[in-house]
Every structure is written in structure tokens, then in C-alpha cells.
Amino acid sequence: MINETMYERGAESSVIREIFSYACARKAEIGADKVFDFSLGNPSVPAPAAVRESIERSLAEVPSMALHGYTPAPGLPEARAAVAASLNRRFGTSYEAGNLFMTVGAAASVSCALHALVSPGEEVIVIVPYFPEYRVWIENADAACVEVAADPETFQLPVDAIRAAITERTAAIIIDSPNNPTGVVYPRETLGALAAMLEEVNRGRQEPVYLISDEPYREITYGAEIPWVPSVYEHTVVCYSYSKSLSLPGERVGWVLVPDTMGSSDRVMAAVAGAARALGFVCAPALFQRVVIDCVDEPSDVEAYRRNRDLLCRALSEAGYTYVEPDGAFYLWVRALEEDAGAFCERARTYELLPVPSDSFGVPGWIRIGYCVAPEVIEASLPAWRALAKEYGVRA
Ligand code: PLP
């Protein structure tokens, strides 16, 4: 019998992907340069040259069986050791290969972490607005997604509201900083306040409330410090991918880190392995695990995103839009010019502008503009953004 829940998830699809599909069809119809697709977080910055060099070296030097064969379920020991060494250099930690499980991107990392840490019937807190797939992944772990609104002014972590939402069924909280969709970064002191609150809560519990720190945008920051979350709160599992940092979203490679410092870390890591096995996420792509070994410390081209951010922010501000100033990631969270963000996006579509309405992120009235596009796309879209604002009678 067809599984109705899965049918519904597949039939609904994601709003972001629907807009992306529309953009592809529209580009074929009227020309790619006339459509301004701000939907997906698909980096336009090319992968670093070191990625290609690594692939070419592997193709030339690694025998086929090792190159294309199964790796151990948690990944190549050398890849996990390379990631551990890189983290140790950057954050003064002492991780080893055994603290890491290579996965198929951050989607798999978060799914594995959820299945490992959350039992059916428990609750997972997300901070609104949130990456829409969190709800799908949480519900797929038979848990309830509990929404807590971010601070309405700053979009920062709402520590008191999180405290108020915690029940005895709360198993975990997902955070992502730099944040998709707002671009805010959670500073050390806010994370510290969250940690202090959770430590207090944990005193009355058998098992701690876990923090799942989803960090695909860790490297994409415009100067703000991105604290290493396990050093602030010990019960943290980190989920990472190279989709954004190395512009490799199609290659599906990332990892889950379970620090030794967290209680029952051996059991948690075994549960991550079990989740990866149950979900079919074992043996991340072998070729790209080798790329990780070679490119683990490759910097991201943040300047390209900074230029896009500055260009877009300046122009939208001049046109009368209001938005959250992003400190990281590559999304701009902009107030829609009418209450119904869906209707606003429909109107924007008549100018070939394709942002994402905020409703699937858990709030009405905003749009997300993904500015990881080529700078020419932003440049060419500016007259349309201005005309759209004018149509709503917004004064520049
Ligand atoms: N988490 C967040 C916050 C994201 O924005 C994304 C992708 O855009 C993912 C997870 C999934 O990343 P990946 O493509 O590495 O699976």
C-alpha cells in the first residue's frame, strides 16, 4: 500500500523547489537572462580549483576499486581524520576520526542526528523562521516540531521563549548560524545564555536536551565570529556539509560530529551510525570524501557573496524595502510589501522576480532572496525591484 504520508510529502514538494522548477521552465521560455531566480541556495561561485585538482589526482592515481568502491559505513578513516585535524587546528579541540561520521550533505547529517537523539513522540524545537525541511525531517523521526519565534526585532535566539517551550518531552533544539533564512549570526554571549539555561533545565532531567547545530553556512560570514558551539554547550552534535563552503551541493558530502565531551558520546555515535544505516545514508560518495581530505582547509570565496549582499542591500534600501542586515549565509530576509507574502511573490513574478515567500519558513509577511546568484543577475534585477516597489506606492 502506498504510504500516504510519503505520498503527500512528494506530491506537495517544497515551495523553494517549485519556484526553482518554474524558473527553469520560464528561462527556457523567455531566455535565462530575463528571469531573476532567487529561490535555491545553489552557489554561483565556482568550486575552488583545488577541488578539480583533487578529483584529477584521484582519477589518475587511485585504483578503481578504491576510487569507486564502498567506503566503510562512517566514511574513509583518512577523511574523518582530516576533518578532525582541521577542526582541532581551528577550535583547539582534540577530536579524532571516531568523532565523525561522513554523510550525504547536511540534509543527511541533520536527519541522522534527529533519528539518533530523538525518540518517537518527543519534541524538537526550531527557531522561526526556519529552514522548511526541518519540519519534514523532524516528523520523519516521528517527533513533533515545536516552533519558537525568534526575537521579532533582531531575529536572535529567544532564550526565554525557548525555556518556556521546553517540556519533559523536549529532546533537542535545532539551531543554524549563520542562519537560513535571515542571515543572522548567533553571538557567543547569546549561545552562552542558551547553554546556561539548558544546563539549568538538564539538572532536573535524566537525559540532557541536545543541541543540533546545523552549520552548512559556517564559512560564509562577513566578519562576525561564528563560535564553535560544542565548546559553549557540551551536549551539541554538529552537522556540516561542503555544499555551500566548497560550492559542492550536487556532490552530497558532509559530516556529523559527536564530541567526546558530551555525555554518552559512544552511545550517541552508535545511534548516529544506526540512523545512517536505517535511513540508507552510509558510505558517503567515495570520490568526494577524497576531495574533503585534500580540500578540508580551502577557504570559501566569501568576497563574492559580500559584493552581492552589498549591491542588493544598497539598491533595495534605496527603493524603500526593509530587511534584516545579514552577517552571514547568502540570503536576504525582506519585508513583503503586502501582508500576504504569497500574493506579493505572485506580483513579483510579473516582473520575473522569483524570491521565496516566508510562509513555509513559519511566518507570514516576508520574502527570502537567495543572493548566491551571479552578480549580473542582481544587477539586471534592480530595475524590476524598483518598479515593484513603485507599484506598491513605496517611497524611495
Ligand atoms: N540546512 C540548511 C539550513 C540549509 O540551508 C540546507 C540547504 O540549503 C541544508 C541544511 C541542506 O544542505 P545539503 O545540501 O548539504 O544537504
Side-chain angles (χ1 to χ4, degrees), residues 1 48 96 132-133 137 168 183 188 201 211 231 236 263 352 354-355:
M1 202 158 63
E96 294 176 1
E133 297 307 288
W137 300 336
E168 60 194 14
R188 184 175 290 278
V201 167
L211 210 49
S231 67
T236 301
E352 310 299 346
L354 301 174

Side-chain angles (χ1 to χ4, degrees), residues 50 54 57-58 62 75-83 86 89 102 242 246 253 286-298:
S54 167
R57 197 168 39 252
S58 283
V62 181
L76 293 169
E78 310 89 292
R80 296 152 70 210
V83 174
S86 169
R89 280 191 294 278
M102 303 303 290
Y242 298 91
L246 294 183
V253 66
L287 178 59
F288 279 85
Q289 290 192 50
R290 292 184 186 280
V291 168
V292 169
I293 298 171
D294 290 339
C295 301
V296 72
D297 288 326
E298 260 319 294

Side-chain angles (χ1 to χ4, degrees), residues 82 89 173 348 361 381:
R89 280 191 294 278
I173 302 168
F361 296 90
S381 75

Side-chain angles (χ1 to χ4, degrees), residues 221-223 302-318 323-332 371-372 375 378-379 382 386:
T221 160
Y222 309 113
V302 177
E303 286 314 304
Y305 299 125
R306 185 198 297 277
R307 282 193 294 275
N308 280 0
R309 176 193 73 156
D310 292 349
L311 176 64
L312 188 63
C313 285
R314 198 173 328 112
L316 291 197
S317 158
E318 282 168 12
Y323 52 82
V324 178
E325 194 75 48
D327 283 331
F330 40 50
Y331 304 105
L332 193 63
Y371 59 83
C372 49
I378 296 183
E379 194 75 65
L382 298 181
R386 285 193 276 270

Side-chain angles (χ1 to χ4, degrees), residues 54-323:
S54 167
I55 294 169
E56 285 174 353
R57 197 168 39 252
S58 283
L59 290 177
E61 293 172 10
V62 181
S64 177
M65 183 69 183
L67 187 61
H68 300 303
Y70 290 121
T71 70
L76 293 169
E78 310 89 292
R80 296 152 70 210
V83 174
S86 169
L87 296 173
N88 295 342
R89 280 191 294 278
R90 295 172 65 187
F91 305 117
T93 47
S94 47
Y95 301 132
E96 294 176 1
N99 295 109
L100 287 135
F101 196 103
M102 303 303 290
T103 60
V104 193
S109 304
V110 177
S111 290
C112 289
L114 283 166
H115 278 261
L117 297 173
V118 182
S119 293
E122 291 191 317
E123 296 169 355
V124 178
I125 292 176
V126 296
I127 312 304
V128 182
Y130 60 98
F131 181 55
E133 297 307 288
Y134 288 163
R135 174 173 285 279
V136 178
W137 300 336
I138 290 167
E139 290 177 354
N140 197 43
D142 289 327
C145 176
V146 175
E147 298 182 347
V148 175
D151 181 292
E153 297 297 321
T154 61
F155 287 89
Q156 277 296 330
L157 272 182
V159 176
D160 291 344
I162 294 173
R163 173 71 194 91
I166 291 177
T167 71
E168 60 194 14
R169 287 186 304 282
T170 306
I173 302 168
I174 303 182
I175 57 170
D176 72 307
S177 169
N179 186 264
N180 174 9
T182 62
V184 305
V185 167
Y186 301 149
R188 184 175 290 278
E189 58 177 348
T190 314
L191 290 168
L194 177 71
M197 181 274 283
L198 291 177
E199 295 295 0
E200 182 73 42
V201 167
N202 291 342
R203 278 196 253 285
R205 294 169 55 109
Q206 258 188 340
E207 213 173 321
V209 175
Y210 294 103
L211 210 49
I212 298 175
S213 186
D214 179 26
E215 306 191 353
Y217 303 98
R218 163 168 283 283
E219 322 312 336
I220 302 173
T221 160
Y222 309 113
E225 184 209 5
I226 314 291
W228 182 242
V229 184
S231 67
V232 182
Y233 183 63
E234 60 183 346
H235 308 292
T236 301
V237 167
V238 181
C239 299
Y240 186 86
S241 89
Y242 298 91
S243 298
K244 320 292 174 172
S245 57
L246 294 183
S247 296
L248 295 175
E251 307 301 353
R252 317 306 301 138
V253 66
W255 43 258
V256 179
L257 173 112
V258 178
D260 288 326
T261 44
M262 92 191 278
S264 317
S265 62
D266 288 350
R267 276 174 56 78
V268 174
M269 189 43 117
V272 167
R277 181 182 177 197
L279 293 166
F281 288 151
V282 290
C283 304
L287 178 59
F288 279 85
Q289 290 192 50
R290 292 184 186 280
V291 168
V292 169
I293 298 171
D294 290 339
C295 301
V296 72
D297 288 326
E298 260 319 294
S300 308
D301 184 0
V302 177
E303 286 314 304
Y305 299 125
R306 185 198 297 277
R307 282 193 294 275
N308 280 0
R309 176 193 73 156
D310 292 349
L311 176 64
L312 188 63
C313 285
R314 198 173 328 112
L316 291 197
S317 158
E318 282 168 12
Y321 292 90
T322 52
Y323 52 82

